[in-house]
Amino acid sequence: MIGAHNALITKIKTIRANALKSSDYDELLKKRSLSDVSSFLKKHPGYQDILSKVSENTINRSRLEGLIRRQKFNDLMRIIKFLKMKDQSFYLLSLLHQEHEVLLSMIRSFISSEVYDVVKDLPVYFNQYSKIDFEAIALTKNLAEFVEALKGTKYQEMLKSFRNIKNEDIKYYEFEALFENDYYDYAFTHIQKHYKGNRKKELEDVFKSKIEIENITKIYRLKKYYKVSNLEIKSTLIPTNRIGEEKLDQILKVEDPNQILNRIIEMGDKTFVGEHDQIYLEYFTDHMQYKIANKLMYYGTHPSMVFLGYMILSDLEVSNLIHLIEGIRYSVPESEIRTMMVF
């Protein structure tokens, strides 16, 4: 078993070795066009395969973002196909996350009225691990059709109460919260199933830390960008036993979302005191996740810990590139794009 564990850790770190490095991001931040970003990534070992047949002069934003996500799908699948251990179902958490990403992308397409080609952005072998009929959902144009196309999956039951909502009335954050709950329910169930003692506690602590960080980010975003009521925000949060309800209520009472971080620090939580003066709280919390993930990736002694670190770092790389692409699209200054990225 030790040999299998070491082999899996080696596999994960080998794939991670092709990730973008600080020097790569420094170069990317100098790019001021989508074609320049695409051209750079096309020559990078982490993306050259997926972009080899793509013309950097004709690729659009949504296509490039889709291919970046697909590359990360491919990398995850290389790890999943390597698994032979009894705790394999824990690692399949990554595939659940990918399912959620696809479903959320479809919901975003309903809101924006943009066509999203699900099938084109998926690895060909993803169907082997999912019950979703991706070709069917790709043809849907609203939630009613979407829910019907999810027949035979757990998602039809999860989403059936939303089926009559019109595209213009969709509240995206409600679906984010729904899938987050599904993700964490799966994680804790399979940690309970496969691990015990210190290993179980370590994994649970990582997920609880992620929940706390995401709860704080969610409060900030929903107050700042959506003007959602405190009661509605609270209904989207995932409770943990480390930040109690009283503390969450205090944070929710902060009227100015830009003062949330200061309020948390005033309450005595030094976890949120960082080395960087971040402009936006959600990017500050990304830095916290980056630190957690790096520790797991490079100091974890069990493959479950290393894999979890890899998953977080992979997601952050995708976020970095999307922030860069969006920043270029809207002519955001290089210095401001840099504050949105974590590396």
Side-chain angles (χ1 to χ4, degrees):
M1 184 60 73
I2 293 175
H5 282 177
N6 289 339
L8 181 53
I9 289 173
T10 300
K11 180 74 173 179
I12 296 168
K13 291 188 175 182
T14 299
I15 293 173
R16 177 63 191 168
N18 284 331
L20 294 170
K21 298 176 174 58
S22 295
S23 57
D24 295 320
Y25 285 119
D26 289 339
E27 288 299 314
L28 283 165
L29 281 163
K30 296 173 186 175
K31 311 301 182 188
R32 302 315 297 162
S33 74
L34 196 62
S35 61
D36 287 344
V37 172
S38 179
S39 180
F40 180 90
L41 293 176
K42 198 172 183 178
K43 298 170 186 172
H44 191 276
Y47 294 94
Q48 59 188 11
D49 289 344
I50 201 75
L51 295 174
S52 62
K53 297 180 181 178
V54 173
S55 170
E56 57 266 38
N57 296 317
T58 58
I59 193 169
N60 61 32
R61 173 188 59 85
S62 60
R63 183 68 180 135
L64 181 57
E65 289 180 3
L67 288 170
I68 288 167
R69 292 183 188 279
R70 181 170 178 175
Q71 181 59 57
K72 294 308 176 187
F73 274 31
N74 290 344
D75 291 343
L76 276 169
M77 295 306 291
R78 287 169 61 194
I79 297 170
I80 296 299
K81 291 169 74 175
F82 190 77
L83 293 173
K84 302 293 181 187
M85 294 172 291
K86 65 179 182 179
D87 59 349
Q88 180 175 356
S89 67
F90 170 77
Y91 296 87
L92 295 181
L93 176 70
S94 61
L95 297 185
L96 181 72
H97 176 58
Q98 300 304 331
E99 283 187 337
H100 292 167
E101 286 296 309
V102 171
L103 298 178
L104 286 170
S105 293
M106 281 302 306
I107 292 167
R108 288 196 298 270
S109 77
F110 301 152
I111 296 169
S112 66
S113 299
E114 292 182 356
V115 176
Y116 174 55
D117 191 339
V118 177
V119 179
K120 187 166 62 176
D121 286 339
L122 287 177
V124 294
Y125 38 79
F126 192 56
N127 281 335
Q128 299 173 22
Y129 297 88
S130 178
K131 294 181 179 179
I132 296 173
D133 185 339
F134 294 107
E135 292 186 356
I137 67 168
L139 299 174
T140 63
K141 298 180 178 62
N142 54 56
L143 285 172
E145 295 176 1
F146 187 56
V147 172
E148 181 61 29
L150 289 168
K151 188 175 181 179
T153 74
K154 67 175 183 178
Y155 298 112
Q156 185 175 54
E157 183 66 24
M158 285 172 60
L159 298 173
K160 68 178 184 181
S161 63
F162 298 94
R163 69 173 66 187
N164 295 322
I165 296 176
K166 296 179 180 178
N167 289 356
E168 60 268 26
D169 296 326
I170 292 174
K171 295 178 180 179
Y172 181 71
Y173 58 85
E174 291 182 341
F175 295 91
E176 284 186 307
L178 190 69
F179 291 130
E180 281 174 4
N181 271 291
D182 187 45
Y183 176 84
Y184 286 113
D185 281 348
Y186 183 99
F188 288 117
T189 296
H190 288 269
I191 289 172
Q192 181 74 29
K193 179 179 178 181
H194 292 299
Y195 307 106
K196 52 188 176 182
N198 288 338
R199 181 75 56 235
K200 176 176 176 287
K201 184 180 184 305
E202 286 170 354
L203 286 167
E204 287 178 339
D205 283 347
V206 171
F207 281 102
K208 286 176 182 177
S209 293
K210 277 176 59 60
I211 289 170
E212 289 165 4
I213 291 168
E214 288 166 7
N215 277 345
I216 299 304
T217 305
K218 193 182 298 181
I219 293 171
Y220 172 84
R221 286 177 57 233
L222 294 182
K223 279 180 173 286
K224 186 175 180 70
Y225 302 116
Y226 298 95
K227 314 302 180 187
V228 178
S229 71
N230 287 347
L231 191 62
E232 192 171 356
I233 293 173
K234 193 170 183 179
S235 71
T236 70
L237 303 179
I238 301 173
T240 71
N241 56 11
R242 301 199 307 183
I243 292 185
E245 189 170 349
E246 184 179 344
K247 278 191 175 182
L248 277 178
D249 286 340
Q250 289 184 49
I251 297 167
L252 283 164
K253 287 177 183 176
V254 178
E255 292 187 11
D256 181 357
N258 295 316
Q259 293 302 312
I260 287 174
L261 184 59
N262 289 335
R263 183 71 188 101
I264 294 168
I265 294 170
E266 286 170 7
M267 288 161 59
D269 193 337
K270 302 303 181 185
T271 308
F272 286 81
V273 180
E275 301 169 2
H276 303 279
D277 184 16
Q278 293 299 307
I279 296 175
Y280 306 111
L281 184 142
E282 61 256 57
Y283 307 131
F284 180 88
T285 52
D286 280 350
H287 275 275
M288 293 178 62
Q289 294 223 49
Y290 181 75
K291 287 181 179 179
I292 291 170
N294 259 328
K295 184 177 179 181
L296 294 170
M297 182 76 203
Y298 298 108
Y299 298 100
T301 56
H302 189 275
S304 59
M305 305 295 284
V306 177
F307 181 72
L308 189 50
Y310 171 81
M311 279 181 60
I312 297 170
L313 292 171
S314 182
D315 285 345
L316 287 172
E317 182 168 306
V318 172
S319 295
N320 282 342
L321 289 172
I322 289 174
H323 289 317
L324 175 71
I325 292 166
E326 294 294 321
I328 290 171
R329 181 189 185 191
Y330 294 107
S331 302
V332 177
E334 177 187 328
S335 58
E336 188 171 344
I337 297 174
R338 174 65 184 86
T339 67
M340 302 176 189
M341 300 168 72
V342 183
F343 57 88

